[in-house]
């Protein structure tokens, strides 16, 4: 059966990095018989420009029909002045909600070749391998009511609602425990239960789910402490499960521990394993069009796509091994450049990954 993959290049550096990733999928198709059909669509600012909406109907239909989606990045200064419903970020939130992609997996892995690029001391991050499981369909991101209203005295006030249902907490907790079973069997649930009722319920439900996973050790941390622990002793973590807002913040922090946010892929999965795969970094408008962006996070996102949604672990491993090899060869884009290494651009890095797969 041919796997249908929808490719959404997006904005900024998105098209450049996605081109390299698509090149690798096409190579696997030609040389190793990966049965895949790529289709393309618009999401984000480019979709606003061409079709007047950040998640247009055309894209929605293609996304619903696809087995998996590969995304570059969305957003940029060009669209920041638009009214909120037309902003590129809205397109991203809309596709996550429309496809019920509730489980966001954000691994933070330190490549030994890049240990020097971390802002933490090497001994704190050596062999770092943690996974943030971020809930992606609920919380203050989607809770109603929300808005900006004018009070009687003429002063304005902004308001949002942090909201989680038991069923939403339960399904993300299960996703985290299942992921932990394939790793080191430790889950740390992060909340703010000392202040927020939403978190009080979160903690209660996570503990209930934990009873079904007696082989996995559960701990809890308040989000402020978790932020501190991440930069103090990140290797204490295996799987971190948390809500949408806390997960957004902690995953940027965790990504930086590894030295380059330009290396990290992510998956956003529904209940059946269909997913959207994207690099953790954004659209980097400052370097867009210059051929300087690091395509490895997107290339590794394609590997995650093969593993999680298409059940093609061998092809995924080919990509991951090839990425390790190009790092061993000393090839570096600007974001991970270090003394004595060879600087390369986006396209040369993609070509090097293909070359590293030859004969594999
Ligand atoms: C992320 C991003 C998005 C989020 C933005 C672009 C809406 O920061 O994927 O982490 O907040 O979820
Ligand atoms: Mg974020």
């Amino acid at each position: 059966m041919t796997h249908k993959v929808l490719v959404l290049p997006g904005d900024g550096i998105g098209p450049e990095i996605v081109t390299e990733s698509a090149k690798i999928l096409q190579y696997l198709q030609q040389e190793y018989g990966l049965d895949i059909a790529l289709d393309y669509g618009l999401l984000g600012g480019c979709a606003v420009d061409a079709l007047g909406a950040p998640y247009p109907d055309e894209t929605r239909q293609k996304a619903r029909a696809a087995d998996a989606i590969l995304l570059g990045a969305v957003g940029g200064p060009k669209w920041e002045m638009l009214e909120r419903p037309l902003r590129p970020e809205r397109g991203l939130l809309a596709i996550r909600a429309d496809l019920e992609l509730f489980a966001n997996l954000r691994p933070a892995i330190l490549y030994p070749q890049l240990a020097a690029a971390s802002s933490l001391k090497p001994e704190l991050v050596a062999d770092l391998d943690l996974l943030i499981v971020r809930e992606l369909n609920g919380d203050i991101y989607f809770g109603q009511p929300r808005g900006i209203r004018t009070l009687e005295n003429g002063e304005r006030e902004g308001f949002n609602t942090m909201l989680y249902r038991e069923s939403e907490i339960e399904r993300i907790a299960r996703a985290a425990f299942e992921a932990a079973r394939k790793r080191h069997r430790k889950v740390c649930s992060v909340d703010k239960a000392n202040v927020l009722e939403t978190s009080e319920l979160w903690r209660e439900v996570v503990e209930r789910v934990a009873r079904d996973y007696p082989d996995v050790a559960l701990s809890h941390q308040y989000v402020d402490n978790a932020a501190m622990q991440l930069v103090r002793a990140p290797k204490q973590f295996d799987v971190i499960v948390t809500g949408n807002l806390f997960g957004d913040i902690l995953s940027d922090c965790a990504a930086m521990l590894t030295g380059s946010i330009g290396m990290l892929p992510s998956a956003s999965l529904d209940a059946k394993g269909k997913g959207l795969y994207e690099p953790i970094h954004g659209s980097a408008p400052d370097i867009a069009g210059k051929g300087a962006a690091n395509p490895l996070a997107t290339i590794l996102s394609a590997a995650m796509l093969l593993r999680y949604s298409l059940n093609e672990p061998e092809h995924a491993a080919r990509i991951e091994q090839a990425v390790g090899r190009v790092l061993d060869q000393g090839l570096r884009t600007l974001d991970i450049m270090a003394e004595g290494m060879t600087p390369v651009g986006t396209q040369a890095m993609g070509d090097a990954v293909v070359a590293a797969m030859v004969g594999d």
Side-chain angles (χ1 to χ4, degrees):
M1 199 188 65
T2 305
H3 304 298
K4 284 192 285 184
V5 175
L6 177 64
V7 181
L8 303 171
D11 309 317
I13 58 171
E16 294 163 68
I17 54 182
V18 159
T19 299
E20 300 314 309
S21 208
K23 192 152 90 184
I24 282 149
L25 289 173
Q26 277 151 1
Y27 180 78
L28 288 171
Q29 183 181 33
Q30 284 154 20
E31 300 297 320
Y32 295 94
L34 172 65
D35 194 2
I36 197 172
L38 301 184
D39 190 9
Y40 284 80
L42 299 173
L43 184 81
C46 59
V48 173
D49 289 349
L51 300 166
Y55 183 44
D57 284 341
E58 198 180 304
T59 304
R60 178 178 297 118
Q61 278 158 26
K62 287 183 178 189
R64 287 182 181 173
D67 296 316
I69 299 157
L70 183 68
L71 169 66
V74 299
K78 183 177 172 196
W79 302 282
E80 264 163 26
M81 302 312 289
L82 291 177
E83 50 177 319
R84 210 163 272 279
L86 288 180
R87 296 213 195 133
E89 294 76 15
R90 271 298 167 95
L92 189 55
L93 296 177
I95 193 170
R96 288 173 179 171
D98 182 46
L99 302 179
E100 275 200 73
L101 307 171
F102 70 91
N104 185 206
L105 311 185
R106 298 191 162 186
I109 294 169
L110 185 96
Y111 283 83
Q113 301 95 329
L114 301 180
S118 173
S119 44
L120 293 192
K121 295 188 199 102
E123 64 269 26
L124 289 183
V125 290
D127 302 318
L128 181 75
D129 176 2
L130 68 86
L131 176 68
I132 297 194
V133 178
R134 170 190 176 196
E135 202 288 331
L136 211 52
N137 282 172
D139 205 349
I140 198 160
Y141 268 61
F142 292 95
Q144 294 289 346
R146 63 191 293 163
I148 299 173
R149 62 191 162 208
T150 305
L151 302 173
E152 268 171 25
N153 69 1
E155 192 186 6
R156 291 185 309 154
E157 104 184 330
F159 56 102
N160 291 87
T161 307
M162 182 175 269
L163 210 73
Y164 264 122
R165 293 191 185 171
E166 288 183 288
S167 54
E168 291 175 301
I169 304 168
E170 174 157 353
R171 67 180 180 176
I172 194 66
R174 286 199 187 282
F177 283 106
E178 292 293 337
R181 276 194 169 157
K182 296 186 190 131
R183 299 170 46 94
H184 301 289
R185 296 177 184 261
K186 271 168 48 179
V187 170
C188 178
S189 171
V190 172
D191 62 35
K192 189 70 185 170
N194 50 346
V195 178
L196 304 172
E197 285 78 2
T198 315
S199 284
E200 197 182 310
L201 182 69
W202 174 280
R203 198 175 272 224
E204 196 187 304
V205 174
V206 170
E207 281 185 351
R208 195 162 75 210
V209 172
R211 287 188 217 125
D212 293 341
Y213 298 86
D215 53 319
V216 178
L218 172 66
S219 61
H220 301 276
Q221 279 179 14
Y222 297 135
V223 62
D224 49 349
N225 182 34
M228 182 186 72
Q229 296 300 336
L230 268 176
V231 292
R232 191 188 73 88
K235 284 195 271 181
Q236 70 185 278
F237 297 109
D238 178 23
V239 174
I240 292 177
V241 63
T242 189
N244 206 344
L245 180 63
F246 300 155
D248 179 44
I249 299 164
L250 294 181
S251 62
D252 264 29
C253 180
M256 202 54 224
L257 300 176
T258 70
S260 175
I261 201 163
M263 291 296 298
L264 298 179
S266 75
S268 304
L269 304 173
D270 75 1
K272 296 193 185 117
K274 172 170 172 166
L276 175 128
Y277 298 81
E278 59 178 315
I280 280 185
H281 61 69
S283 60
D286 51 323
I287 57 164
K290 296 187 178 150
N294 184 350
L296 294 178
T298 318
I299 289 171
L300 292 165
S301 296
M304 266 187 122
L305 179 153
L306 291 166
R307 177 169 283 120
Y308 286 93
S309 284
L310 306 190
N311 196 21
E312 299 277 7
E314 283 159 24
H315 291 301
R318 281 197 177 97
I319 297 179
E320 287 158 355
Q321 278 156 19
V323 167
R325 282 185 201 136
V326 301
L327 293 176
D328 287 339
Q329 289 160 13
L331 304 185
R332 299 285 186 274
T333 43
L334 276 183
D335 57 312
I336 50 174
M337 188 56 197
E339 222 182 295
M341 299 293 139
T342 312
V344 291
T346 312
Q347 199 185 329
M349 188 60 112
D351 290 341
V353 175
V354 171
M357 288 196 295
V358 171
D360 207 0

